[in-house]
Amino acid sequence: MDGNGRWAKKQNFKDRIFGHQNGTKAVREVIEASREIGVEYLTLYAFSTENWSRPKREVNALMELLVKSLKDEREQLIRNGIRLNSIGDISSLPGNCQKELEKVKELTSLNNKLVVTLALSYSSRWEITETIKSIARDAADGRLDPAAIDEAFINQRLHTGGIPDPELLIRTSGEQRISNYLLWQIAYTELYFTDTLWPDFHREEYYKALFDYQQRERRFGKTSEQLNT
Ligand code: FPP
């Protein structure tokens, strides 16, 4: 969800935080649209491990915004059958963020229409490192035979265990890089880049990305002829 700061500047707001505040409106719209059209899994990169290095004031504002959004949206999520999930180093978030997040996760845990995963204090290399450490510990303690480690096993042990690999990755604001996001999981994901800044990423922009995705042929290494016979 990139481009909040630039959006605020473009609107002549002095403060980048206005961009983040308006970014939450786009989050709400994309979640609603996903539920309506039958997307089953939506993962949002809300705060990266690297984002901790931003000015303290911005970090605090983002954390407060997260708590406010969780409180404001709780009832809607419950009512609409949406399950909230998270990936990342949740223990590094401020106490009130952790508490609110866990509360909404618990309250929505039986919902199954759409799973919304927030990547918070997340970086893919961190996730992979932690997963390797945990697998290595199990092997060292004799709980795991290294010969049993295969791709499916690693999939299950990552924070995204239970969530299918993304079919489509959308990056807003004209940046064309992956920025330490789901590196293992996006091996065969279709990529979509748009110049639209995140707060302007409304329903129509989302549909445009999905329509673009629908035109693609996902070959997973096979030939077009193989897929069509
Ligand atoms: C990147 O834009 C955006 C972020 C670091 C924060 C994203 C957060 C939200 C959209 C709001 C809170 C989220 C939830 C789930 C309630 P940037 O600040 O890097 O923009 P820039 O590249 O234009 O500076």
Side-chain angles (χ1 to χ4, degrees):
M1 300 187 285
D2 210 2
N4 294 350
R6 276 165 284 167
W7 184 90
K9 208 167 167 188
K10 233 175 87 184
Q11 313 287 320
N12 286 325
F13 286 124
K14 295 241 173 331
D15 206 327
R16 298 168 51 80
I17 291 160
F18 285 111
H20 297 312
Q21 282 167 349
N22 279 275
T24 61
K25 294 182 194 159
V27 170
R28 177 184 241 264
E29 208 167 319
V30 167
I31 293 177
E32 275 176 11
S34 299
R35 183 183 58 85
E36 285 166 18
I37 59 181
V39 169
E40 289 178 293
Y41 296 90
L42 174 73
T43 304
L44 299 163
Y45 203 178
F47 194 85
S48 72
T49 309
E50 292 78 11
N51 285 153
W52 288 114
S53 324
R54 291 194 173 196
K56 202 169 169 357
R57 190 172 163 275
E58 184 172 345
V59 171
N60 289 343
L62 277 167
M63 295 301 147
E64 277 169 29
L65 207 51
L66 177 66
V67 173
K68 183 176 179 329
S69 302
L70 288 167
K71 284 185 178 159
D72 291 350
E73 302 303 326
R74 189 166 63 205
E75 291 309 317
Q76 280 281 93
L77 295 173
I78 296 170
R79 232 194 338 270
N80 289 325
I82 299 168
R83 176 156 77 83
L84 189 77
N85 181 38
S86 63
I87 54 174
D89 185 9
I90 302 305
S91 67
S92 66
L93 300 177
N96 61 336
C97 273
Q98 290 186 44
K99 208 172 117 216
E100 207 50 46
L101 185 65
E102 290 313 323
K103 192 183 254 145
V104 182
K105 279 164 70 171
E106 175 62 33
L107 285 168
T108 60
S109 61
L110 297 177
N111 288 351
N112 58 11
K113 203 163 158 50
L114 163 69
V115 179
V116 173
T117 300
L118 298 181
L120 290 165
S121 191
Y122 175 85
S123 89
S124 188
R125 286 186 173 183
W126 171 84
E127 177 194 30
I128 292 170
T129 308
E130 289 304 306
T131 303
I132 291 173
K133 274 196 230 166
S134 136
I135 293 175
R137 265 194 305 269
D138 284 354
D141 295 347
R143 287 192 296 268
L144 171 70
D145 175 3
I149 300 171
D150 58 11
E151 288 189 15
F153 179 83
I154 294 172
N155 275 335
Q156 281 311 310
R157 294 290 292 253
L158 287 164
H159 274 210
T160 47
I163 303 176
D165 287 345
E167 292 169 292
L168 172 66
L169 184 151
I170 301 170
R171 175 136 199 183
T172 55
S173 90
E175 308 294 354
Q176 300 204 2
R177 54 177 174 266
I178 302 299
S179 298
N180 217 346
Y181 189 55
L182 301 178
L183 298 177
W184 168 278
Q185 297 88 339
I186 61 168
Y188 269 101
T189 296
E190 297 293 325
L191 307 180
Y192 179 85
F193 298 102
T194 169
D195 287 337
T196 303
L197 304 174
W198 176 254
D200 288 330
F201 195 80
H202 298 296
R203 191 177 290 261
E204 299 70 29
E205 293 289 327
Y206 186 37
Y207 292 161
K208 224 161 87 184
L210 296 177
F211 185 70
D212 188 278
Y213 168 77
Q214 285 181 320
Q215 313 306 310
R216 307 210 188 163
E217 181 179 60
R218 303 189 74 200
R219 291 192 295 279
F220 298 96
K222 293 185 179 167
T223 67
S224 196
E225 291 70 29
Q226 280 176 302
L227 292 178
N228 294 315
T229 49

